[in-house]
Amino acid sequence: MAGKEQSDSKNIKKGTWTWLGGVAAMLLVKGKAILALLKLSKIASPFISMLISIWAYTLIYPWQFAIGFVLLLLIHETGHVIAAKRIGLPVSAPLFVPFMGALITMKKQPLDAKQEAYLAFGGPLLGSLGAAACFALGYVLDSPLLYSLAYIGFLLNLINLLPIHPLDGGRIVTAVSRWLWLVGLIGGLAVIIYMQSVLFFIIWVLFAYDLYGKYVKRRKNSKLNSVTFNFTIPADSLREQGYFIPGPDHRRELPFTTYSNLERQQILEIHWDSLNYSGTAALPVQCLVEKVEVKGVDQLETYNGFQLKARCEVHFKLYENDKYYDVPAGTRWRYGVAYFALASILGGMIYLVHVVGNINV
């Protein structure tokens, strides 16, 4: 049995960097395409994705490790969920993607850097406690499997603390100092050289480009973006009174107003005076709206009567709210101390598992 355990441990160690890169990639892209496939139902999809991930990992690792690893991912993501609930941010249940990790999606953006850091801290903190539980149980049972899970759990959470967006560390340091992103830019390259990971290189390149776009390119040229909304306009009375009914090729600009509600959600309100219509839509980001254009109108006969569906394209420039990063000095110090303390503890625990459990990756 001892020989088999050692062989399993070697198999576990062999593929470590592969799934670490996959987890990082998932954190980067947020899995929008995969989420569309997984969201069969709000209740069942987390459990289904969890079972699929366990099955996928058993193709490479022992089934005991596959279950333990997915549970560690669940603990990490649960930390984010708990943190989000504590500050009143609605989030989805954790979803799992084989060899890419797990994620939650935010239904509302944080109000400021302090909230963003609090939300990001929940994952590594609870995830580290989960890895610590594996280490303690491994010590009691003298189990190479549990030592391996503990090692990978500590390593995963430590790498996730790199100050690189969209890793948790990159979000935490928004409440400490954005200059740490520069440290992440340099340190991330060192990690890539050490790990020889193509996926981490992609993350680093996109992070570097994001910094360039945020602090260099945007200062030179503010890019015009667009988003399309559909507005449903009741039109029974309009047809009866002989109003002009626009068609699929109709084009025009509409007057509009924007405002933010108490939850700092920016709202767009359009006005189509000739149709006696006003409609609202929630904008995806804080922005400066340039114009609203009608790109066509579909005429629909429904059980609710005759309706018009107006396709409106909103052109806007992103608004960078510098007050988002205004964090009191005391809060910056607390988050900074907690951030570096957690990273140091994780580094120490990795070394301890290496010594006690004789684990090398």
Side-chain angles (χ1 to χ4, degrees):
M1 288 296 292
K4 184 179 184 299
E5 288 181 341
Q6 291 177 357
S7 176
D8 289 344
S9 180
K10 289 180 180 179
N11 289 334
I12 292 168
K13 292 182 285 184
K14 186 177 180 180
T16 297
W17 295 121
T18 300
W19 59 255
L20 277 176
V23 169
M26 171 50 60
L27 290 169
L28 174 67
V29 301
K30 290 297 181 185
K32 291 182 179 179
I34 303 173
L35 277 176
L37 298 175
L38 289 177
K39 285 187 177 179
L40 302 175
S41 73
K42 293 181 179 180
I43 298 176
S45 57
F47 298 101
I48 294 173
S49 64
M50 189 174 179
L51 292 174
I52 292 174
S53 289
I54 291 174
W55 169 80
Y57 288 124
T58 59
L59 300 177
I60 299 177
Y61 308 119
W63 65 267
Q64 299 95 330
F65 177 84
I67 294 175
F69 177 60
V70 172
L71 288 176
L72 285 176
L73 292 177
L74 176 62
I75 292 171
H76 179 101
E77 295 302 324
T78 300
H80 289 307
V81 173
I82 293 173
K85 298 299 182 184
R86 286 177 63 88
I87 57 177
L89 284 179
V91 295
S92 69
L95 288 173
F96 299 81
V97 182
F99 309 112
M100 301 184 101
L103 68 145
I104 61 171
T105 56
M106 291 185 291
K107 301 176 183 177
K108 185 191 301 182
Q109 294 300 314
L111 298 180
D112 50 39
K114 181 181 176 181
Q115 277 198 350
E116 182 178 355
Y118 188 90
L119 175 63
F121 227 121
L125 186 59
L126 193 61
S128 298
L129 292 176
C134 284
F135 174 70
L137 192 58
Y139 182 79
V140 171
L141 300 177
D142 191 23
S143 169
L145 176 65
L146 290 172
Y147 280 138
S148 296
L149 283 170
Y151 192 104
I152 289 172
F154 290 132
L155 185 61
L156 170 64
N157 285 283
L158 180 60
I159 290 177
N160 205 22
L161 285 179
L162 283 172
I164 296 175
H165 262 290
L167 301 181
D168 290 331
R171 300 185 182 280
I172 292 171
V173 300
T174 58
V176 181
S177 173
R178 282 176 285 174
W179 283 105
L180 289 172
W181 286 343
L182 182 60
V183 176
L185 189 65
I186 300 171
L189 186 59
V191 170
I192 292 167
I193 293 173
Y194 174 73
M195 295 176 58
Q196 299 181 355
S197 170
V198 175
L199 289 173
F200 267 106
F201 177 72
I202 295 173
I203 289 177
W204 183 86
V205 169
L206 292 179
F207 173 63
Y209 182 77
D210 180 65
L211 290 183
Y212 169 75
K214 184 175 292 186
Y215 294 105
V216 179
K217 187 177 180 181
R218 188 174 295 174
R219 295 180 186 274
K220 298 178 180 179
N221 180 28
S222 185
K223 180 182 177 182
L224 194 65
N225 300 275
S226 66
V227 63
T228 299
F229 293 105
N230 292 322
F231 294 92
T232 301
I233 306 172
D236 279 331
S237 60
L238 298 176
R239 186 166 59 177
E240 291 172 359
Q241 297 175 35
Y243 275 77
F244 168 73
I245 303 298
D249 298 323
H250 187 78
R251 301 287 188 274
R252 72 161 58 197
E253 287 192 29
L254 294 178
F256 63 89
T257 55
T258 65
Y259 60 89
S260 293
N261 59 24
L262 295 177
E263 297 178 341
R264 301 189 190 181
Q265 171 67 60
Q266 187 173 355
I267 304 298
L268 170 73
E269 182 174 330
I270 66 165
H271 309 281
W272 197 331
D273 295 334
S274 62
L275 296 181
N276 193 28
Y277 174 78
S278 293
T280 61
L283 293 167
V285 292
Q286 290 291 319
C287 60
L288 302 174
V289 178
E290 297 285 318
K291 62 180 178 179
V292 177
E293 290 184 304
V294 177
K295 292 295 185 179
V297 180
D298 297 325
Q299 302 179 15
L300 306 174
E301 293 282 357
T302 69
Y303 64 92
N304 290 325
F306 181 61
Q307 296 178 342
L308 304 177
K309 185 173 75 172
R311 300 186 301 278
C312 296
E313 191 171 79
V314 181
H315 300 273
F316 63 90
K317 292 180 180 179
L318 294 176
Y319 172 66
E320 185 70 22
N321 182 13
D322 289 334
K323 291 184 178 180
Y324 181 89
Y325 300 101
D326 287 347
V327 178
T331 302
R332 290 187 185 276
W333 276 103
R334 287 194 296 272
Y335 273 105
V337 170
Y339 172 72
F340 288 108
L342 181 58
S344 299
I345 291 171
L346 286 171
M349 291 305 297
I350 288 172
Y351 177 75
L352 184 61
V353 178
H354 162 70
V355 172
V356 176
N358 193 27
I359 299 294
N360 294 287
V361 180

